[in-house]
Every structure is written in C-alpha cells, then in structure tokens.
C-alpha cells in the first residue's frame, strides 16, 4: 500500500500551495467562514443545520477565493459544487470531515455519492490488477478536497487528494497539505453539543424534465 505524502512543516506548505496559487492564510479564512456559519445553528434548527450551513459557506468562500485567481472558475461537474482549473486539470471540492490533520486519513461526515466517486475515479488505470503497483491503478490524479473539521473547540483543515472513493468513504490519500493544525488556531466554540454529530449532504443539481 502506498503511504501518504504529508506536508505539515512551515517550510513545506507554501511551496506545495504554490501549484494552486493560494496561501495558507487565504485557506485559513475559508475554514473560518465555514466554521462561523456552522456556529449560526441553534437548538431550534434542524439537526443537520450545522453541517449544511458549514457546507454552503465553505463552498461559497472557496469559490470567492479561487475565482479571482488566474485560470480558476466555478464548476458543477456531475452536479457537484466545485472550482476548477482547466489548464492545470485540477478540481477542488469543499468537504466537512471527521478529523483533519490527524494521524489517520480524514473521512467525510456523510457517505459520498456516485457523482463525487466518478470525479475521483481515474479511468486511465491499467486493466490488470497485477499492474496496479507500477501504474497506481485507478488513482485519483486531479480531484482535491479542502477538508475542514470542528470537534468541540478544535478546528483543523487540510487540502488533500484521496486516491479513490470506496464504499462512500475516502480510502488512503496520496497527498495531504496541512493548513490548520491544532496548534495553529484559537479555539472556536461551537454552539451545539459536541456529541451531536451532524450529517452533511452532497448538493446535486438536476434539470427539470
């Protein structure tokens, strides 16, 4: 099994982010927008409100950042909200996860659907399984996720590339760029009970017939 390439040191992260033409502080602001929106939910809102608020604000903040960068634009491939850079062949999605920047790879708070899985799947893999190690069969090469987590007062975020989506979850990651580690961020208090895990939804757009 291939191990993840993890970039967490201050001298490593800026160089890795240069391929996206963004800075650490810019992505930290995106995470703050998402967490701030999550905290708008009260006990009177539906149970899934924090995750929904966070998702919507996170997508908007991510787009606001990237569409002002050269080559980046809004995109909805397979009805999935994202930003893309056609020239670089890169796609970035916002994702609420269980724990970002942890010892283990992050996983989405809710199962990923076929639309997301199709974006992550790389159809150029080799046909025969025995070639998988050399060819990195079916490894995702272009779809990245800006992963944000908030557990009690601990906010974390990373920009990472999973190798695939399997059974609705991320498997192993090829690359992980740590944006907010636990020592980087002032505590953000969540208004909701930390034990109430909320569900996040993939927003899919379909045309009326």
């Amino acid at each position: 099994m291939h191990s993840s390439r993890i970039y967490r040191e201050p001298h490593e992260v800026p160089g890795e982010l240069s391929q996206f033409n963004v800075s650490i502080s810019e992505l930290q602001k995106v995470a703050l927008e998402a967490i701030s929106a999550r905290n708008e939910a009260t006990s009177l809102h539906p149970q899934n409100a924090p995750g929904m608020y966070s998702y919507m604000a996170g997508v908007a903040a991510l787009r606001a950042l990237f569409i002002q960068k050269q080559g980046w634009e809004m995109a909805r491939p397979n009805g999935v909200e994202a930003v893309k850079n056609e020239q670089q062949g890169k796609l970035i999605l916002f994702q609420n996860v269980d724990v970002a920047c942890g010892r283990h790879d992050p996983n989405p708070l809710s199962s990923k659907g076929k639309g997301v899985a199709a974006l992550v799947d790389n159809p150029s893999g080799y046909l025969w399984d025995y070639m998988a190690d050399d060819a990195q069969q079916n490894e995702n090469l272009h779809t990245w996720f800006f992963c944000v987590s908030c557990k009690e007062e601990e906010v974390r975020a990373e920009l990472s590339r999973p190798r695939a989506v399997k059974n609705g979850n991320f498997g192993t990651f090829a690359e992980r760029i740590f944006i907010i580690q636990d020592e980087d961020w002032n505590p953000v208090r969540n208004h909701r009970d930390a034990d109430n895990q909320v569900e996040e939804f993939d927003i899919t757009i379909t045309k009326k017939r």
Side-chain angles (χ1 to χ4, degrees), residues 8 14 50 56 70-71 100 119 186 191 193:
R8 69 176 81 211
M56 292 189 296
Q70 184 175 2
L119 295 176
N186 290 326
H191 296 320
D193 186 347

Side-chain angles (χ1 to χ4, degrees), residues 130-146:
Y130 71 85
M131 296 181 176
D133 288 340
D134 293 333
Q136 294 183 316
Q137 184 183 30
N138 295 328
E139 179 171 304
N140 165 41
L141 301 176
H142 58 275
T143 302
W144 293 71
F145 291 80
F146 185 56

Side-chain angles (χ1 to χ4, degrees), residues 84-104:
K84 71 174 181 179
N85 188 310
E86 196 79 37
Q87 185 175 5
Q88 295 183 10
K90 286 186 170 63
L91 192 71
I92 304 178
L93 286 65
F94 179 86
Q95 181 65 58
N96 287 319
V97 297
D98 51 0
V99 180
C101 300
R103 294 178 58 188
H104 302 289

Side-chain angles (χ1 to χ4, degrees), residues 76-81 91 93 95 108 110-123 142-143 145 164-170 201-206:
R76 294 186 178 94
N78 297 345
V80 178
E81 306 294 339
L91 192 71
L93 286 65
Q95 181 65 58
S110 64
S111 178
K112 298 293 94 183
K114 293 181 179 179
V116 173
L119 295 176
V120 175
D121 180 52
N122 174 26
H142 58 275
T143 302
F145 291 80
V165 170
K166 297 181 179 179
N167 299 320
N169 285 325
F170 298 137
F201 294 87
D202 291 328
I203 307 300
T204 300
I205 299 174
T206 57

Side-chain angles (χ1 to χ4, degrees), residues 29 54 61-62 64 81 88 97 133 185 195:
K29 290 177 182 177
S54 175
L62 194 70
E81 306 294 339
Q88 295 183 10
V97 297
D133 288 340
W185 202 254
D195 293 331

